[in-house]
Amino acid sequence: MSILLYDLAGADPELRFSPYCWRTKMALRHKGLDFETVPWRFTEKEVLAPSGQGRVPVIVDSGRWVSDSWTIAGYLDEAYPDRPPLFPDARAKAQALFVNAWCDGVIAAARPLVMPHLYGLIAERDKAYFKESREARFGPMDGWGEGAAAAAGALVQARRPAEAVLAGLPFLSGDQPGYADYALFGTLKWPDTICPQPVLAPGSTVQAWYERMAGHYGGYAASAPTARTLAG
Ligand SMILES: N[C@@H](CCC(=O)N[C@@H](CS)C(=O)NCC(=O)O)C(=O)O
Protein backbone atom coordinates (compact mmCIF):
# COMPACT_ATOMS: atom_id res chain seq x y z
CA MET A 1 0.00 0.00 0.00
CA SER A 2 1.44 3.34 -0.96
CA ILE A 3 2.02 6.20 1.48
CA LEU A 4 -0.55 9.04 1.51
CA LEU A 5 0.68 12.60 1.74
CA TYR A 6 -1.66 15.47 2.52
CA ASP A 7 -0.26 18.25 0.35
CA LEU A 8 -1.35 21.90 0.51
CA ALA A 9 -3.16 22.97 -2.68
CA GLY A 10 -4.56 26.20 -4.04
CA ALA A 11 -7.91 26.86 -5.71
CA ASP A 12 -6.47 24.80 -8.55
CA PRO A 13 -5.81 21.39 -6.97
CA GLU A 14 -2.66 21.05 -9.09
CA LEU A 15 -1.07 24.14 -7.53
CA ARG A 16 1.09 22.70 -4.72
CA PHE A 17 3.08 25.41 -3.04
CA SER A 18 3.91 24.44 0.54
CA PRO A 19 7.69 24.64 1.17
CA TYR A 20 7.40 21.97 3.86
CA CYS A 21 5.35 19.60 1.68
CA TRP A 22 7.99 19.97 -1.04
CA ARG A 23 10.68 18.95 1.44
CA THR A 24 8.66 15.81 2.17
CA LYS A 25 7.88 15.02 -1.48
CA MET A 26 11.57 15.22 -2.39
CA ALA A 27 12.45 13.08 0.66
CA LEU A 28 9.93 10.43 -0.43
CA ARG A 29 11.43 10.45 -3.93
CA HIS A 30 14.91 10.11 -2.43
CA LYS A 31 13.77 7.01 -0.52
CA GLY A 32 12.20 5.63 -3.70
CA LEU A 33 8.90 5.03 -1.90
CA ASP A 34 5.51 4.87 -3.61
CA PHE A 35 3.29 7.70 -2.47
CA GLU A 36 0.14 9.45 -3.47
CA THR A 37 -0.56 13.11 -2.73
CA VAL A 38 -3.97 14.25 -1.58
CA PRO A 39 -4.74 17.93 -2.19
CA TRP A 40 -5.49 19.57 1.16
CA ARG A 41 -6.86 23.04 1.89
CA PHE A 42 -6.10 25.21 4.95
CA THR A 43 -9.59 24.79 6.43
CA GLU A 44 -9.72 21.00 6.20
CA LYS A 45 -8.47 20.62 9.74
CA GLU A 46 -10.78 17.69 10.55
CA VAL A 47 -9.08 15.56 7.87
CA LEU A 48 -5.80 15.84 9.80
CA ALA A 49 -7.36 15.19 13.22
CA PRO A 50 -5.76 11.71 13.61
CA SER A 51 -2.34 13.41 13.36
CA GLY A 52 -3.16 15.48 16.46
CA GLN A 53 -2.45 18.83 14.80
CA GLY A 54 -3.61 20.99 11.88
CA ARG A 55 -0.67 21.53 9.53
CA VAL A 56 0.75 19.77 6.52
CA PRO A 57 2.75 17.83 5.51
CA VAL A 58 1.13 14.81 7.10
CA ILE A 59 1.77 11.28 5.88
CA VAL A 60 -0.24 8.14 6.52
CA ASP A 61 1.86 5.01 6.19
CA SER A 62 0.02 1.73 6.81
CA GLY A 63 -2.20 3.44 9.38
CA ARG A 64 0.61 5.43 11.02
CA TRP A 65 0.08 9.21 10.93
CA VAL A 66 3.22 11.34 10.99
CA SER A 67 3.31 15.15 10.80
CA ASP A 68 6.00 17.83 10.44
CA SER A 69 8.46 17.66 7.56
CA TRP A 70 11.53 17.16 9.75
CA THR A 71 9.86 14.46 11.86
CA ILE A 72 8.66 12.74 8.67
CA ALA A 73 12.21 12.65 7.30
CA GLY A 74 13.48 10.98 10.47
CA TYR A 75 10.55 8.56 10.42
CA LEU A 76 11.26 7.54 6.81
CA ASP A 77 14.87 6.65 7.62
CA GLU A 78 13.79 4.65 10.67
CA ALA A 79 10.91 2.86 8.94
CA TYR A 80 12.82 2.16 5.70
CA PRO A 81 16.46 1.53 6.65
CA ASP A 82 17.00 -0.56 3.49
CA ARG A 83 16.24 2.45 1.26
CA PRO A 84 18.77 5.22 0.48
CA PRO A 85 19.27 7.13 3.75
CA LEU A 86 18.27 10.78 4.06
CA PHE A 87 20.73 10.99 6.95
CA PRO A 88 23.67 8.59 6.53
CA ASP A 89 24.74 9.16 10.18
CA ALA A 90 24.04 11.27 13.26
CA ARG A 91 26.51 13.96 12.21
CA ALA A 92 24.91 14.32 8.77
CA LYS A 93 21.52 14.55 10.47
CA ALA A 94 22.71 17.33 12.79
CA GLN A 95 24.13 19.28 9.86
CA ALA A 96 20.92 18.81 7.84
CA LEU A 97 18.94 20.09 10.82
CA PHE A 98 21.10 23.22 10.84
CA VAL A 99 20.32 23.79 7.14
CA ASN A 100 16.64 23.00 7.71
CA ALA A 101 16.41 25.63 10.47
CA TRP A 102 18.34 28.16 8.37
CA CYS A 103 15.85 27.55 5.53
CA ASP A 104 12.97 28.33 7.87
CA GLY A 105 14.59 31.75 8.29
CA VAL A 106 14.70 32.14 4.50
CA ILE A 107 10.95 31.42 4.41
CA ALA A 108 10.37 34.22 6.90
CA ALA A 109 12.59 36.59 4.87
CA ALA A 110 10.75 35.80 1.60
CA ARG A 111 7.25 36.22 3.03
CA PRO A 112 6.58 39.77 1.73
CA LEU A 113 7.41 38.56 -1.79
CA VAL A 114 4.94 35.69 -1.66
CA MET A 115 2.02 36.67 0.57
CA PRO A 116 0.37 39.31 -1.67
CA HIS A 117 0.20 36.81 -4.56
CA LEU A 118 -0.79 33.82 -2.44
CA TYR A 119 -4.16 35.17 -1.37
CA GLY A 120 -5.43 35.26 -4.96
CA LEU A 121 -4.41 31.64 -5.57
CA ILE A 122 -5.87 29.84 -2.57
CA ALA A 123 -9.30 28.17 -2.54
CA GLU A 124 -12.28 30.50 -2.07
CA ARG A 125 -13.34 28.60 1.04
CA ASP A 126 -9.90 29.16 2.63
CA LYS A 127 -9.83 32.92 2.15
CA ALA A 128 -11.58 34.14 5.31
CA TYR A 129 -9.51 31.79 7.51
CA PHE A 130 -6.28 32.66 5.74
CA LYS A 131 -6.88 36.42 6.01
CA GLU A 132 -7.80 36.24 9.68
CA SER A 133 -4.98 33.90 10.73
CA ARG A 134 -2.32 35.78 8.74
CA GLU A 135 -3.52 39.23 9.79
CA ALA A 136 -3.17 38.06 13.40
CA ARG A 137 0.48 37.19 12.66
CA PHE A 138 1.58 39.74 10.06
CA GLY A 139 -0.82 42.68 10.39
CA PRO A 140 -3.41 44.06 7.92
CA MET A 141 -3.53 42.38 4.52
CA ASP A 142 -2.86 45.54 2.53
CA GLY A 143 0.56 45.74 4.21
CA TRP A 144 1.65 42.12 3.50
CA GLY A 145 3.71 43.17 0.50
CA GLU A 146 5.49 45.98 2.33
CA GLY A 147 9.20 45.35 2.31
CA ALA A 148 9.06 43.16 -0.82
CA ALA A 149 12.18 44.86 -2.20
CA ALA A 150 13.98 44.34 1.10
CA ALA A 151 12.76 40.72 1.08
CA ALA A 152 14.27 40.17 -2.37
CA GLY A 153 17.55 41.53 -0.97
CA ALA A 154 17.24 39.30 2.10
CA LEU A 155 16.72 36.32 -0.17
CA VAL A 156 19.92 37.09 -2.08
CA GLN A 157 21.72 37.44 1.26
CA ALA A 158 20.21 34.21 2.51
CA ARG A 159 21.42 32.33 -0.54
CA ARG A 160 25.07 33.18 0.08
CA PRO A 161 25.81 30.19 2.34
CA ALA A 162 24.40 27.87 -0.35
CA GLU A 163 26.50 29.57 -3.01
CA ALA A 164 29.62 28.99 -0.94
CA VAL A 165 28.98 25.22 -0.98
CA LEU A 166 27.72 25.03 -4.56
CA ALA A 167 30.84 26.74 -5.87
CA GLY A 168 32.66 23.45 -5.28
CA LEU A 169 29.97 20.75 -5.22
CA PRO A 170 26.93 19.93 -7.36
CA PHE A 171 24.66 19.56 -4.32
CA LEU A 172 24.64 20.89 -0.75
CA SER A 173 25.01 17.27 0.37
CA GLY A 174 27.90 16.48 -2.00
CA ASP A 175 27.76 14.42 -5.20
CA GLN A 176 24.10 13.55 -4.75
CA PRO A 177 21.21 15.49 -3.23
CA GLY A 178 20.36 14.90 0.40
CA TYR A 179 18.02 16.40 2.95
CA ALA A 180 19.84 19.76 3.08
CA ASP A 181 19.09 20.07 -0.64
CA TYR A 182 15.45 19.15 -0.15
CA ALA A 183 15.10 21.70 2.66
CA LEU A 184 16.40 24.56 0.50
CA PHE A 185 14.69 23.33 -2.64
CA GLY A 186 11.29 23.24 -0.91
CA THR A 187 11.94 26.69 0.50
CA LEU A 188 12.60 28.20 -2.94
CA LYS A 189 9.92 26.16 -4.69
CA TRP A 190 7.38 28.12 -2.62
CA PRO A 191 8.08 31.61 -4.10
CA ASP A 192 8.84 30.02 -7.46
CA THR A 193 5.38 28.39 -7.51
CA ILE A 194 3.49 31.48 -6.37
CA CYS A 195 5.26 34.57 -7.71
CA PRO A 196 4.40 36.01 -11.13
CA GLN A 197 8.11 36.37 -11.94
CA PRO A 198 10.92 33.84 -11.32
CA VAL A 199 12.65 34.67 -8.05
CA LEU A 200 16.11 33.27 -8.84
CA ALA A 201 18.54 35.35 -10.85
CA PRO A 202 19.23 33.55 -14.16
CA GLY A 203 22.78 32.32 -14.43
CA SER A 204 23.41 32.26 -10.67
CA THR A 205 24.95 29.24 -8.97
CA VAL A 206 21.81 28.69 -6.92
CA GLN A 207 19.57 28.91 -9.97
CA ALA A 208 21.67 26.25 -11.76
CA TRP A 209 21.41 24.02 -8.68
CA TYR A 210 17.64 24.68 -8.45
CA GLU A 211 17.20 23.54 -12.06
CA ARG A 212 19.29 20.43 -11.31
CA MET A 213 17.07 19.66 -8.33
CA ALA A 214 13.87 20.26 -10.30
CA GLY A 215 15.14 17.92 -13.02
CA HIS A 216 16.08 15.16 -10.56
CA TYR A 217 13.82 12.10 -10.17
CA GLY A 218 12.67 12.26 -13.76
CA GLY A 219 11.86 15.97 -13.59
CA TYR A 220 9.36 15.37 -10.75
CA ALA A 221 9.42 18.95 -9.42
CA ALA A 222 10.00 20.57 -12.81
CA SER A 223 6.72 19.14 -14.07
CA ALA A 224 4.66 20.53 -11.18
CA PRO A 225 2.42 23.44 -12.28
CA THR A 226 3.16 26.94 -11.01
CA ALA A 227 0.97 30.05 -10.99
CA ARG A 228 2.86 31.12 -14.13
CA THR A 229 2.27 27.88 -16.06
CA LEU A 230 -1.39 27.67 -14.96
CA ALA A 231 -1.97 31.26 -16.15
CA GLY A 232 -0.77 30.04 -19.55
N1 LIG B 1 7.27 22.90 10.98
C1 LIG B 1 6.23 22.39 10.10
C2 LIG B 1 5.53 23.57 9.43
C3 LIG B 1 4.30 23.12 8.66
C4 LIG B 1 3.45 24.30 8.20
O1 LIG B 1 3.55 25.42 8.71
N2 LIG B 1 2.59 24.04 7.22
C5 LIG B 1 1.67 25.05 6.70
C6 LIG B 1 1.63 25.02 5.19
S1 LIG B 1 3.13 25.59 4.46
C7 LIG B 1 0.26 24.71 7.17
O2 LIG B 1 -0.16 23.58 7.11
N3 LIG B 1 -0.49 25.70 7.63
C8 LIG B 1 -1.86 25.49 8.05
C9 LIG B 1 -2.45 26.73 8.61
O3 LIG B 1 -1.82 27.79 8.57
O4 LIG B 1 -3.56 26.62 9.11
C10 LIG B 1 6.88 21.43 9.09
O5 LIG B 1 8.10 21.49 8.90
O6 LIG B 1 6.19 20.58 8.53
Side-chain angles (χ1 to χ4, degrees):
M1 204 168 71
S2 83
I3 295 173
L4 273 192
L5 164 67
Y6 289 98
D7 187 13
L8 185 59
D12 187 317
E14 296 308 312
L15 190 72
R16 309 294 177 88
F17 53 87
S18 160
Y20 306 105
C21 291
W22 273 107
R23 292 176 191 180
T24 297
K25 284 182 281 192
M26 297 302 277
L28 286 161
R29 293 301 306 235
H30 178 105
K31 299 290 290 182
L33 293 164
D34 279 340
F35 66 100
E36 212 176 296
T37 65
V38 180
W40 178 87
R41 303 317 192 307
F42 285 103
T43 44
E44 294 174 348
K45 301 292 183 204
E46 74 289 351
V47 175
L48 304 183
S51 77
Q53 52 86 64
R55 289 169 181 248
V56 289
V58 168
I59 62 163
V60 188
D61 182 16
S62 304
R64 276 166 298 187
W65 290 68
V66 188
S67 60
D68 184 85
S69 55
W70 179 257
T71 306
I72 292 170
Y75 165 81
L76 293 176
D77 264 3
E78 270 174 45
Y80 298 98
D82 51 338
R83 300 295 183 115
L86 288 160
F87 311 113
D89 55 36
R91 181 178 300 195
K93 189 169 186 180
Q95 288 169 353
L97 179 56
F98 180 90
V99 176
N100 196 65
W102 166 72
C103 287
D104 289 349
V106 177
I107 291 178
R111 205 164 266 133
L113 278 180
V114 177
M115 291 287 283
H117 306 295
L118 190 49
Y119 187 74
L121 294 166
I122 61 176
E124 226 28 70
R125 63 178 185 276
D126 277 355
K127 285 194 171 166
Y129 163 79
F130 187 82
K131 182 169 184 288
E132 191 187 333
S133 60
R134 270 46 182 185
E135 284 194 327
R137 280 160 66 189
F138 310 121
M141 188 163 85
D142 57 10
W144 287 353
E146 273 169 26
L155 212 53
V156 171
Q157 194 70 15
R159 287 201 300 266
R160 295 243 158 91
E163 274 160 7
V165 179
L166 296 170
L169 290 169
F171 297 102
L172 296 178
S173 311
D175 290 341
Q176 293 296 322
Y179 201 79
D181 295 270
Y182 307 138
L184 185 61
F185 181 75
T187 300
L188 297 176
K189 184 84 176 127
W190 171 59
D192 187 46
T193 301
I194 295 299
C195 291
Q197 306 297 332
V199 291
L200 294 172
S204 66
T205 313
V206 169
Q207 198 245 2
W209 162 86
Y210 183 83
E211 298 302 329
R212 261 197 308 284
M213 291 296 296
H216 223 75
Y217 307 125
Y220 175 68
S223 64
T226 68
R228 295 189 298 283
T229 61
L230 287 172

